[in-house]
Amino acid sequence: SHQKGENDRAVNLISKAIDLKPDYAEAHCHLGILLRDLGRLDDAIAYYHNATQIRPDYTEAHANLGTAQKELGRLEEAVASYHKALEFKPNYAEVHSNLGTVLQELGKLDEAVASYHKAIDIEPDYAEAHSNLGNTLKGLGKRGAALESYHEAIDIEPAYAEAHSNLGTVLQELGKQGEAMASYHKAIDIEPAYA
């Protein structure tokens, strides 16, 4: 595809820049981003690591490293990378939310809730954090609070198919079949291919 060709060319250019200036942290990080887009996660991780070695306070590189580790299922490492990013930029809402997702996957639900709350305190209109908070609260059996989180996500982003679907699930569990059906229909109207 055209995009892949562009990316391959960019990879070559940035690799040349790194050959000329090996301690160019930004180039390592940008190369990591391109490699991740090309599906080369292991290579991306190597370049993010380089970037953080060269510039230990490089928040973006730590955050990107965490996301690549998360995608490879290296969850404990992802947690460490996200914590590192937050050390240098404590008010990084996206990292708090991503950290929440990893903690949720690790079954550390209370910690996940705390991370989502931090993300939302920093960025109250963060629809994805509200929706993920809802999933975690649902996992903790707190259905009422989960409903509130999903409604909050939908108020912020009315076309958020996943939030409508998740809302439907909780309504169904609460025996509110009619409302659940309406939520599922809404999700499908927004995203007809939503399996």
Side-chain angles (χ1 to χ4, degrees):
S1 75
H2 175 68
Q3 181 63 46
K4 187 178 179 316
E6 294 280 302
N7 277 356
D8 285 334
R9 270 194 292 286
V11 166
N12 290 335
L13 283 173
I14 297 176
S15 300
K16 287 199 179 96
I18 289 172
D19 288 341
L20 295 169
K21 194 178 172 203
D23 63 345
Y24 187 7
E26 285 77 7
H28 286 275
C29 189
H30 287 304
L31 189 47
I33 292 166
L34 285 169
L35 290 165
R36 179 178 168 238
D37 287 346
L38 290 167
R40 293 167 56 186
L41 284 171
D42 284 310
D43 294 334
I45 284 174
Y47 281 99
Y48 293 142
H49 263 304
N50 293 348
T52 61
Q53 297 295 305
I54 297 162
R55 234 182 77 199
D57 66 343
Y58 197 168
T59 314
E60 209 56 52
H62 287 293
N64 290 343
L65 177 57
T67 301
Q69 289 164 329
K70 173 178 159 238
E71 286 171 1
L72 281 175
R74 288 155 62 174
L75 301 182
E76 299 288 356
E77 290 173 48
V79 169
S81 294
Y82 286 143
H83 278 302
K84 205 77 180 157
L86 293 169
E87 226 173 89
F88 300 111
K89 191 176 170 188
N91 62 342
Y92 201 154
E94 192 186 341
V95 173
H96 282 291
S97 182
N98 288 344
L99 176 58
T101 313
V102 176
L103 291 167
Q104 195 178 334
E105 280 187 52
L106 286 168
K108 299 179 176 179
L109 299 188
D110 290 320
E111 286 178 52
V113 167
S115 284
Y116 292 132
H117 276 300
K118 277 186 189 138
I120 290 163
D121 288 344
I122 296 161
E123 218 177 285
D125 282 353
Y126 198 163
E128 194 183 340
H130 284 286
S131 182
N132 288 338
L133 174 59
N135 294 342
T136 311
L137 291 166
K138 177 178 171 267
L140 285 164
K142 299 178 178 177
R143 291 193 182 114
L147 284 181
E148 276 174 48
S149 290
Y150 294 138
H151 280 299
E152 197 72 44
I154 290 164
D155 287 343
I156 296 161
E157 207 180 300
Y160 195 166
E162 197 181 331
H164 285 286
S165 173
N166 292 338
L167 175 60
T169 307
V170 176
L171 289 166
Q172 196 178 341
E173 287 175 5
L174 290 167
K176 299 183 176 181
Q177 305 305 335
E179 287 176 55
M181 287 291 280
S183 285
Y184 289 138
H185 277 298
K186 200 130 207 174
I188 292 166
D189 288 343
I190 295 163
E191 223 177 286
Y194 198 165

